[in-house]
Amino acid sequence: QVQLVESGGGLVQAGGSLRLSCVVSGRTFSSYGMGWFRQAPGKGREFVAGISQSGGTTYYTDSVKGRFTISRDNAKNTVLLQMNSLKLEDTAVYYCAADYEPSRLLKSQADYWGQGTQVTVSS
């Protein structure tokens, strides 16, 4: 059983930064592409960023390019999302997800999902 636990969410002013962390249980973390998604109130779940199994390839939705950085540490079973220059529209519940096929993450598909962490950006 694979379990994903996110942390690092909170309340931040516009222009500020947060770093989200997702720890994955199990011994096969390095076999999974990893992704971050978000869901704002009244909206559907949106792909934010993805990273390949080795960390050599990353993907971002256009609205976060240049502001967010996804990374992973396979020795610690952890994927991170560094969020800088946060905007009001970044407010959402952020989820991490894992899938053997990173391309599925781009379609908001994944085998495993975390429970989410709330990010609120205030003016």
Side-chain angles (χ1 to χ4, degrees):
Q1 184 73 13
V2 178
Q3 292 186 326
L4 291 73
V5 179
E6 304 97 336
S7 62
L11 176 64
V12 63
Q13 285 190 326
S17 298
L18 281 175
R19 188 176 75 167
L20 304 184
S21 176
C22 175
V23 178
V24 182
S25 66
R27 298 181 179 179
T28 59
F29 175 73
S30 60
S31 299
Y32 295 105
M34 297 297 300
W36 285 97
F37 298 79
R38 65 188 179 187
Q39 187 165 16
K43 296 187 178 181
R45 190 170 293 182
E46 172 191 27
F47 169 80
V48 175
I51 190 166
S52 62
Q53 285 87 337
S54 69
T57 303
T58 56
Y59 315 84
Y60 297 94
T61 192
D62 287 346
S63 63
V64 308
K65 285 180 181 177
R67 300 189 298 121
F68 291 11
T69 303
I70 188 171
S71 61
R72 66 188 296 160
D73 184 338
N74 286 347
K76 296 182 179 179
N77 284 20
T78 299
V79 60
L80 303 174
L81 185 68
Q82 178 67 43
M83 306 187 295
N84 298 328
S85 302
L86 283 161
K87 302 177 180 180
L88 296 178
E89 52 263 41
D90 294 319
T91 295
V93 178
Y94 282 72
Y95 301 87
C96 73
D99 198 278
Y100 283 116
E101 294 291 339
S103 61
R104 295 185 73 229
L105 298 171
L106 298 176
K107 306 172 187 177
S108 293
Q109 298 171 349
D111 286 335
Y112 304 103
W113 294 86
Q115 292 301 306
T117 185
Q118 176 71 46
V119 172
T120 303
V121 184
S122 65
S123 59

